[in-house]
Amino acid sequence: LNDNYGRLFNFNLKKKYNSNDHILFSNNLSDEIFNNGKLKQFNNVGANELTLGLYDKKLTNVLQIRPNENSEVFKNYDLNFITTELDDNENLIQINRDFGKSRYSAWISANEIIKQFLTTELFNTNPNEITNLVSHSTSIFSEKISPTMIFADTLLNGSGLMRFASDENILNSIFNNNESKLINFVDKKLSKQCCDGACYNCIRNYNNRFQSEYLDLHHGSRLIKLLSGINEDRNLIYAQELTLAEKLIKDLGSIDLVTKEIEKPIDSVNIFEIEINGDRKFLAILDPFEKFNSRLNKIIRHLGDTYSGSFHPEDLKIIDSFNTKQNSIKAVYNAFNQQ
């Protein structure tokens, strides 16, 4: 089994009659083997399905890091990289998979930064001593599926590194937002100002070469600070979007796309009018982490008021600031061509 499409798997937990034997049964398979086949002695333990991700290796002494959904910091953020549907109440704004890629990039980058912190600052050990990956999981306190960074000992029976790191006092010292050793580590990397993404002077290395397209120091650092409970300066985010908007106009002009920025609604959203094949379209830049409610709804209302009778929500496409920074023309192309 694989999860290449990020859809996860639904399972039922089944128990054998008069035995403590349990199995997980995929609901994608037929019930016939339980009705008449060799597994007919197994019955469902509960009515609820279990939604699980699958790992391709045995993991020992696992440390999992996921968002605290009850934290005030996350009330306006969506960090899930599996489902990123941009829609209003009538579901008129199409799905833009680039948002999922942007969020996945943040998790991969943060995962790599934390691994480097663990191996160089906390343990001073060989990077091969710790295996790391990004997936989805549920906590023991909630059935909600959340993006999850996973760290585990590489040795089959465990070296004890992750067991030590999982100690509550150690975790508090790592993620405490007032005196965080991890945040200090992140800020030192950021202070190098060595690149605008990721390079071999900050977080790229031989071991993560197959993830290089997703690595971005600033993007991963931002996620780590959110996970540590640090509130962002929204005005700084808006200022960065403004800089990207100016870059976008120049980039689209270089390929002869007629683009003009229209008056901004509340919250400094950058909206553009573009002519494509003689048709008027609209484009807006949003933050890849934000929930698609407040600013998106204001964009739709603003365009409806400004272009009364001639604006249709399906003419509005959304791109995120991270993909715009990486390749603005590709971001626009994907927004208008994804089905």
Side-chain angles (χ1 to χ4, degrees):
L1 292 173
N2 67 66
D3 195 17
N4 290 340
Y5 299 102
R7 295 170 183 165
L8 303 182
F9 296 90
N10 291 322
F11 289 88
N12 282 119
L13 181 64
K14 293 180 180 285
K15 180 179 180 298
K16 190 175 183 180
Y17 179 71
N18 282 339
S19 170
N20 288 323
D21 293 342
H22 289 74
I23 61 171
L24 284 173
F25 175 65
S26 171
N27 292 345
N28 298 326
L29 303 176
S30 170
D31 277 330
E32 179 64 24
I33 58 175
F34 290 98
N35 296 330
N36 303 308
K38 294 181 179 180
L39 300 179
K40 61 183 179 181
Q41 296 182 26
F42 285 84
N43 297 304
N44 287 352
V45 173
N48 295 330
E49 296 177 349
L50 303 173
T51 304
L52 306 173
L54 299 181
Y55 305 141
D56 62 356
K57 63 187 75 174
K58 176 182 177 181
L59 301 177
T60 306
N61 292 339
V62 174
L63 170 64
Q64 300 183 49
I65 299 174
R66 66 176 67 83
N68 178 1
E69 301 293 345
N70 297 320
S71 173
E72 188 71 13
V73 173
F74 294 110
K75 68 178 183 178
N76 295 317
Y77 293 93
D78 183 358
L79 304 176
N80 193 334
F81 53 81
I82 285 186
T83 55
T84 54
E85 185 170 344
L86 307 181
D87 62 353
D88 60 4
N89 293 332
E90 297 179 0
N91 195 29
L92 294 175
I93 307 300
Q94 78 174 48
I95 294 172
N96 186 337
R97 289 183 292 274
D98 279 357
F99 277 81
K101 181 181 177 182
S102 291
R103 295 172 184 176
Y104 183 68
S105 176
W107 281 94
I108 289 291
S109 301
N111 184 258
E112 185 58 34
I113 294 169
I114 293 176
K115 177 181 177 179
Q116 292 181 20
F117 168 79
L118 293 172
T119 56
T120 62
E121 300 293 315
L122 190 62
F123 296 119
N124 190 24
T125 188
N126 191 301
N128 294 329
E129 291 289 317
I130 296 175
T131 186
N132 60 315
L133 64 139
V134 170
S135 186
H136 279 73
S137 67
T138 57
S139 73
I140 60 175
F141 306 107
S142 169
E143 293 184 357
K144 183 176 180 179
I145 301 171
S146 298
T148 307
M149 285 183 276
I150 297 169
F151 304 89
D153 294 345
T154 303
L155 295 178
L156 185 61
N157 294 318
S159 59
L161 295 178
M162 288 302 95
R163 181 170 301 192
F164 176 83
S166 299
D167 179 84
E168 184 175 356
N169 292 327
I170 299 298
L171 282 177
N172 286 338
S173 71
I174 294 174
F175 286 102
N176 185 299
N177 59 5
N178 294 319
E179 299 178 359
S180 171
K181 295 178 180 178
L182 176 59
I183 297 301
N184 290 336
F185 177 76
V186 167
D187 287 340
K188 286 180 181 178
K189 284 190 173 292
L190 291 171
S191 66
K192 293 181 179 180
Q193 298 182 341
C194 51
C195 61
D196 192 36
C199 67
Y200 285 96
N201 288 323
C202 55
I203 60 173
R204 290 187 64 177
N205 55 48
Y206 179 80
N207 292 327
N208 62 32
R209 64 194 183 281
F210 297 118
Q211 303 281 7
S212 60
E213 67 174 300
Y214 297 107
L215 293 176
D216 188 285
L217 173 63
H218 296 269
H219 205 37
S221 299
R222 182 186 173 196
L223 177 58
I224 289 174
K225 292 184 177 183
L226 285 174
L227 292 172
S228 298
I230 298 175
N231 288 301
E232 291 187 309
D233 181 352
R234 297 305 302 172
N235 290 327
L236 178 60
I237 300 297
Y238 298 155
Q240 292 171 347
E241 290 175 359
L242 177 59
T243 301
L244 289 170
E246 295 169 351
K247 175 181 181 296
L248 179 64
I249 291 177
K250 292 179 181 179
D251 291 345
L252 294 181
S254 70
I255 58 172
D256 297 326
L257 264 182
V258 179
T259 307
K260 70 174 182 179
E261 188 170 11
I262 66 175
E263 182 183 355
K264 296 182 179 65
I266 301 172
D267 289 343
S268 303
V269 181
N270 297 279
I271 310 174
F272 308 90
E273 180 183 325
I274 302 178
E275 185 177 315
I276 299 179
N277 297 327
D279 296 326
R280 184 172 60 192
K281 302 293 184 180
F282 299 94
L283 186 69
I285 300 177
L286 290 179
D287 178 7
F289 290 166
E290 73 180 281
K291 288 184 177 178
F292 302 117
N293 44 35
S294 177
R295 288 214 292 173
L296 179 58
N297 290 335
K298 289 174 182 175
I299 294 171
I300 295 172
R301 285 197 300 270
H302 182 77
L303 290 174
D305 293 340
T306 305
Y307 299 88
S308 178
S310 62
F311 167 69
H312 302 284
E314 58 265 28
D315 293 331
L316 170 64
K317 304 302 177 185
I318 309 296
I319 58 176
D320 72 86
S321 54
F322 177 71
N323 274 296
T324 304
K325 183 189 81 168
Q326 286 199 314
N327 189 328
S328 60
I329 294 176
K330 182 179 179 182
V332 172
Y333 176 85
N334 288 344
F336 280 100
N337 289 278
Q338 287 183 7
Q339 301 296 323

